[in-house]
Amino acid sequence: MIQFFNMLLIGIGAGSIYALMAIAMVLVWRSTRVINFAQAGMALLSTYIGFELVQKTGNFWIALPLAMILGALFSALVEILLIRTLIKHSTSGPVAGIVPIIATLGLLGVIRATIGFIWGNQDIQIQPPLSKVGFKVGEETIALSPMNLLVLLTVVGMVIILGFIFQKTNLGLSLRASAYSPEIAQLAGIRVGAIRTIGWAIAGAAGAAAGLLQTVNGTGAISPDSLEFSLLLTFGFIAAVIGGLESLPGAVLGAVVLGLVLAVVQIYISGTLVFIVAFALLLLVLLVRPQGFIGSKAGRRA
């Protein structure tokens, strides 16, 4: 019984990290209709910035929000200087749909190379702010530590805040309108360019949180070629798609389901099958319910 309970906790813990990356990808999609494959690189850069801030301040709790702010600023610059320019000059033809994909993949490589140039290719270490030793329940130690709990609470808090912004505020309405029908949004007086930049900035902050929390919740070590960030991008993208690219709660649900499935595979079958099972789950959902767990077949509407 305790093993099954621990398996659930491991799955939910892994899913919560994937959820942060999925949230970032959903935010960019909902605000600009772009899949940002550079999100993992941006999260990695924010994590390195967080490392420098921890070294300077000696306090993770100061470094985390500052890294999120700087991650938001960097993401906003990417949208203004790169994505907006490319979209402006490729509005029609077969290239229009793939230009942002190529651009974000290229940006991912540029970011990794820049990090290697500045910080070198050796691992750096960030110490966790909380214990990673599981809580004790009676005589048993469960697979839930104070650090895991921080990640879970962060995800829940972000979903509540962002859900409120998107559903209950003028900013959220502007974000949705700018994504679905930018021409009509402009006629309604919405500054579409600025609104889209805000969407990217929020996604950059979420990605920074994902990167830092994943690092300190794991081994604490990162490098420009960290496999953990490649996995974060892959599984975050899968979680966003199976949950529904239009839905923030869907991204979280998709991440939790993915985390639980992969935990079962790792514990009861073999860790070598993780990638195969993840993509098999993606294909299954796309075949059975292409719009994701929490998605709609209805046409676009703001």
Side-chain angles (χ1 to χ4, degrees), residues 85-158:
T85 303
L86 289 173
I87 292 177
K88 181 180 179 181
H89 290 88
S90 57
T91 56
S92 61
V95 74
I98 64 171
V99 163
I101 297 174
I102 296 172
T104 55
L105 286 172
L107 180 61
L108 175 60
V110 169
I111 291 173
R112 287 182 179 273
T114 303
I115 290 172
F117 178 77
I118 297 174
W119 283 279
N121 293 310
Q122 301 301 315
D123 286 355
I124 62 172
Q125 194 78 25
I126 305 177
Q127 296 300 319
L130 298 173
S131 172
K132 293 191 288 184
V133 178
F135 293 108
K136 291 188 73 68
V137 177
E139 297 298 321
E140 299 287 344
T141 299
I142 62 173
L144 178 67
S145 67
M147 193 66 234
N148 298 144
L149 188 59
L150 171 64
V151 175
L152 287 171
L153 292 176
T154 301
V155 172
V156 172
M158 289 188 69

Side-chain angles (χ1 to χ4, degrees), residues 3 6 11 15 36 41 67 83 86 95 103 126 128 145 159 203 228 246 248 264 275-276 283 296:
Q3 183 181 13
N6 281 333
N36 182 16
I83 302 300
L86 289 173
V95 74
I126 305 177
S145 67
V159 170
E228 289 81 1
E246 301 292 343
L248 290 172
V264 170
F275 268 109
I276 296 174
L283 291 174
S296 174

